[in-house]
């Protein structure tokens, strides 16, 4: 399996938050609630509702992959969906939208930057252990600034989806990919 395919498998596993082998809409409610709780906010708080809205937007961009329209995305549909998306004329636009939506999910304090703690909370909300999540941020933080801008995150997202280089920092967007 090539590097990009391995990263897509890792991403699928992170999004399948209940581990049932499918990505479903409910898989996007769990991380929003977990992250809000981790930050000390209750369900239906402003922070939780912001996160939930960002995750709903992410789900709306993924649901077209559900080829048989059964409300869940299988690994085969996921693979086919990304192959179609990456071969289309709108791939750069899709990457930009994905980075923007992801930024909204991760920047929980709304200061326009992603801290190591915010990133770790996001990854932990998808089942990655905290030490690995912290290491992932360290590898993604190319400037060693302790923060990532939206442009920094977009660069990581682009690299995650496109780079065949096994050592590319963007490979760590969803934790270790291999």
């Amino acid at each position: 399996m090539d590097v990009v395919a391995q990263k897509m498998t890792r991403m699928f596993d992170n999004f399948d938050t209940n581990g049932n082998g499918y990505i479903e809409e409910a898989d996007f409610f769990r991380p929003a609630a977990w992250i809000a709780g981790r930050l000390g906010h209750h369900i239906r708080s402003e922070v939780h509702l912001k996160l939930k809205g960002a995750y709903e937007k992410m789900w709306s961009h993924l649901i077209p992959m559900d080829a048989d329209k059964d409300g869940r995305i299988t690994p085969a549909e996921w693979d086919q969906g990304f192959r179609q998306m990456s071969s289309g004329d709108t791939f750069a636009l899709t990457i930009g939208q994905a980075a923007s939506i992801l930024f909204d999910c991760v920047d929980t304090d709304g200061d326009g930057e992603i801290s190591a703690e915010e990133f770790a909370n996001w990854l932990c909300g998808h089942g990655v252990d905290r030490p690995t999540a912290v290491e992932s941020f360290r590898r993604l933080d190319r400037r060693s600034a302790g923060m990532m801008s939206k442009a920094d995150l977009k660069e990581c997202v682009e690299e995650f989806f496109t780079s065949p280089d096994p050592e590319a920092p963007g490979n760590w967007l969803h934790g270790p990919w291999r």
Side-chain angles (χ1 to χ4, degrees):
M1 186 182 305
D2 69 26
V3 172
V4 174
Q6 288 180 54
K7 292 184 286 186
M8 294 304 104
T9 298
R10 174 62 178 193
M11 186 177 176
F12 182 93
D13 292 343
N14 281 1
F15 284 167
D16 177 16
T17 60
N18 67 356
N20 69 352
Y22 303 98
I23 298 175
E24 303 156 306
E25 187 174 19
D27 288 317
F28 289 88
F29 296 137
R30 286 180 199 88
W34 188 93
I35 294 166
R38 171 86 171 120
L39 298 172
H41 298 279
H42 59 83
I43 300 297
R44 305 232 186 276
S45 69
E46 185 177 330
V47 169
H48 175 252
L49 293 176
K50 176 187 176 255
L51 282 165
K52 187 177 176 209
Y55 273 100
E56 286 171 348
K57 189 182 281 188
M58 189 180 298
W59 173 248
S60 74
H61 283 272
L62 296 177
I63 195 63
M65 292 182 182
D66 179 16
D68 61 6
K69 309 296 182 214
D70 66 353
R72 59 189 191 176
I73 300 169
T74 66
E77 288 171 329
W78 177 260
D79 182 61
Q80 183 60 33
F82 272 105
R83 286 182 195 282
Q84 288 173 345
M85 181 178 57
S86 64
S87 66
D89 295 336
T90 62
F91 188 59
L93 177 64
T94 302
I95 292 294
Q97 289 172 339
S100 182
I101 292 167
L102 178 58
F103 192 88
D104 291 344
C105 288
V106 181
D107 181 24
T108 53
D109 66 7
D111 69 353
E113 294 186 303
I114 296 171
S115 68
E117 182 67 17
E118 286 173 318
F119 188 82
N121 285 340
W122 174 74
L123 263 185
C124 289
H126 289 273
V128 176
D129 65 80
R130 187 153 296 275
T132 301
V134 169
E135 175 65 13
S136 294
F137 180 85
R138 187 189 68 72
R139 290 178 181 251
L140 294 169
D141 182 13
R142 298 166 201 263
R143 297 178 291 121
S144 300
M147 303 295 264
M148 281 194 292
S149 68
K150 191 175 266 192
D152 294 334
L153 183 64
K154 184 176 185 237
E155 182 178 6
C156 293
V157 169
E158 286 176 7
E159 198 167 61
F160 179 83
F161 283 108
T162 63
S163 179
D165 177 3
E167 302 305 318
N171 295 351
W172 283 81
L173 187 64
H174 286 273
W177 58 275
R178 42 180 159 178

